Amino acid sequence: MVNPQDAPTGIIGCGGAYGGMSEYLLIENAEVGKGVAVFPDSVPFDVASLNEPMAVARHCVNRSEAGPDDRVVVFGAGPIGLGTAIWLKLRGVKHVVVADVIPSRLEKALAVGADAVVDSAREDVAARLTELHGQAANALGQPRPGTDIYIDAARAPAVFNTVVGSAK
């Protein structure tokens, strides 16, 4: 496993002669335990391959500063979205909703611990979030869902938005 933030020139994964799509990957100043980690043979490849999406998901959750009383929605139930739901629950967040358009992904979201799911291809997302998180008001006093944190994991990298003035 390579830590791309440890490369002095930032070329890891950026293509070109020494990037991630070449036959060999140049890892400048590689040092095991710092810029490179070696997974033991006892870790199956399919488990080790989740390192990167789970790291992205955890970084997003850490930056969101979600707490136990926050009501959170994660848009996207791919690897990063599912990882985000897992980390939110491990962090102690009581209510996590995952929205996606693919029913099998929504089933996986429930299987990994999401409290509820929204099929955004078939449901009114705002109405469903209001049903799940109650109603609040935006800065102009207009009704909005009582969701505290919105995480967009439908695109990489995962980003979050905390509702300013939300009731916690």
Side-chain angles (χ1 to χ4, degrees):
M1 189 272 312
V2 177
N3 176 0
Q5 295 178 337
D6 194 49
T9 61
I11 66 167
I12 293 175
C14 296
Y18 303 113
M21 299 306 285
S22 63
E23 185 177 357
Y24 296 98
L25 179 66
L26 173 67
I27 305 171
E28 298 172 298
N29 303 330
E31 183 180 334
V32 174
K34 186 176 179 207
V36 178
V38 178
F39 283 97
D41 291 338
S42 61
V43 177
F45 182 76
D46 59 344
V47 173
S49 67
L50 292 174
N51 183 71
E52 192 273 343
M54 290 300 288
V56 170
R58 185 168 186 181
H59 182 63
C60 177
V61 170
N62 287 344
R63 291 196 60 205
S64 78
E65 298 181 356
D69 295 328
D70 286 320
R71 296 159 295 189
V72 181
V73 62
V74 178
F75 291 98
I80 293 172
L82 293 174
T84 300
I86 290 167
W87 287 120
L88 286 164
K89 294 309 288 185
L90 288 172
R91 191 177 178 107
V93 175
K94 289 181 187 167
H95 204 270
V96 176
V97 177
V98 175
D100 203 295
V101 297
I102 302 172
S104 62
R105 287 187 171 194
L106 295 172
E107 291 172 20
K108 285 184 180 99
L110 290 171
V112 300
D115 298 292
V117 294
V118 178
D119 183 338
S120 55
R122 298 183 178 160
E123 298 178 75
D124 179 324
V125 176
R128 181 75 169 123
L129 289 175
T130 299
E131 176 187 323
L132 294 165
H133 293 160
Q135 191 169 34
N138 67 16
L140 300 175
Q142 300 165 325
R144 67 158 185 86
T147 306
D148 300 305
I149 298 173
Y150 294 78
I151 295 177
D152 180 358
R155 299 175 210 93
V159 295
F160 69 92
N161 183 18
T162 302
V163 177
V164 177
S166 66
K168 290 189 179 184

